[in-house]
Amino acid sequence: MNIRVLIADDQEIVRTGLVMILDAQPDIEVVGQAADGRRAVELARRLRPDVCLFDIRMPGVDGIQATRSLAGPGVEDPLAVVVITTFDLDEYVYAALRAGARGFLLKNAGTALLSQAVRAAAHGDALIAPSVTARLLGAFAHAGPASPPVQPVEALTEREEQILVTVARGRTNSEIAGELHISLSTVKSHIASLMAKLGARNRVEIAMWAYETDRVRN
C-alpha cells in the first residue's frame, strides 16, 4: 500500500514541488495540502495520513504548534511528523523535535533524502538530516538542557549504549543492524527497551538524551 502524505507549507511553489517529488515515487501518495498550520491540523485529523511533512514557518499556527497538536505529549494516537525547513536555525528545529517531530530535513536535502525520510517515518523509524544532527543536538547539549536529563529507570546494557550512539548519529534501523552485525528485529527490540528506560516517545528523544548526557560528542 502507498504511504499517504500530508504536506503543509505556506509557499505554493514549494508545496507544488514537494507534491511532484513525492507523487513521482511508486510507493508514496500525497493526499492533502495546507498553506498554514491550522488547516494542516484539521486535514491531518480528518485524513489520518501516514506521514505529515510540515514547514516550520507558517502564518497563524506554525509548524511547531501543529506538530505539538498532532504528535506532542499527551496525544493519544500521535501522527508521524517530519519537519522540512529552509531555515537552518537550531532553536527552531530543536523546538520541533521537542514538540514531537519524528525527524527533520532542510529543503535542500534532495529528492532521495526526502523520500527516504518519508519512508522511514511511515515505518516507525526516523531520519535526521546528517548535515545538522551532530551540530544541532551537540550544541544544545553543551549549552545545557532546559532541565537535568532524566535518569534511566534501569541501567543501560553495553549493547543499548552502542545502539544509543548510532541512533544519535542519525542511523536508521537497517543501518544500525548492518553496522553492528545484528538482526533488524534485535535493533527494534533494543530501541524499544531504550525508549522504556528513558521515558522517550521516539528515537529523536533518544538521540537528544544521548547528547544531553555526553554519550556523543562533536
Side-chain angles (χ1 to χ4, degrees):
M1 295 178 63
N2 283 352
I3 298 170
R4 302 167 66 253
V5 178
L6 170 67
I7 293 173
D9 194 295
D10 62 333
Q11 298 182 46
E12 183 177 0
I13 191 169
V14 173
R15 291 199 310 275
T16 300
L18 292 172
V19 170
M20 290 177 63
I21 290 171
L22 295 178
D23 272 346
Q25 304 302 310
D27 58 339
I28 298 175
E29 174 188 7
V30 177
V31 296
Q33 301 180 47
D36 61 76
R38 181 172 287 103
R39 178 61 175 162
V41 171
E42 293 173 354
L43 284 176
R45 286 174 173 165
R46 177 163 59 86
L47 299 174
R48 301 297 301 179
D50 300 306
V51 179
C52 297
L53 191 61
F54 289 171
D55 185 22
I56 286 184
R57 283 190 171 181
M58 293 186 287
V61 175
D62 62 24
I64 294 172
Q65 291 174 285
T67 298
R68 187 177 296 112
S69 296
L70 299 170
V75 176
E76 289 187 7
D77 190 12
L79 291 171
V81 179
V82 174
V83 168
I84 180 169
T85 179
T86 302
F87 301 96
D88 188 11
L89 299 176
D90 292 350
E91 61 269 28
Y92 283 3
V93 183
Y94 191 79
L97 298 180
R98 282 296 191 199
R102 190 165 287 177
F104 68 85
L105 294 173
L106 298 178
K107 288 181 181 176
N108 63 1
T111 300
L113 200 58
L114 172 62
S115 302
Q116 185 181 353
V118 167
R119 293 186 182 102
H123 292 98
D125 208 333
L127 190 148
I128 304 173
S131 62
V132 293
T133 301
R135 176 182 58 78
L136 171 68
L137 298 178
F140 273 88
H142 294 307
S147 57
V150 299
Q151 295 300 310
V153 296
E154 183 182 340
L156 304 187
T157 66
E158 182 178 351
R159 179 62 86 184
E160 286 170 347
E161 291 279 3
Q162 292 174 333
I163 290 179
L164 177 74
V165 172
T166 60
V167 169
R169 288 174 175 158
R171 305 290 196 272
T172 65
N173 285 354
S174 296
E175 290 170 337
I176 295 172
E179 188 173 320
L180 298 182
H181 307 291
I182 57 180
S183 70
L184 190 59
S185 61
T186 299
V187 174
K188 292 179 179 179
S189 176
H190 282 307
I191 289 179
S193 178
L194 282 170
M195 290 173 62
K197 289 182 177 182
L198 302 178
R201 292 170 298 166
N202 52 53
R203 67 195 294 117
V204 174
E205 291 189 354
I206 291 175
M208 287 192 287
W209 187 85
Y211 278 93
E212 290 174 348
T213 56
D214 286 330
R215 257 67 171 189
V216 181
R217 298 179 182 275
N218 292 341

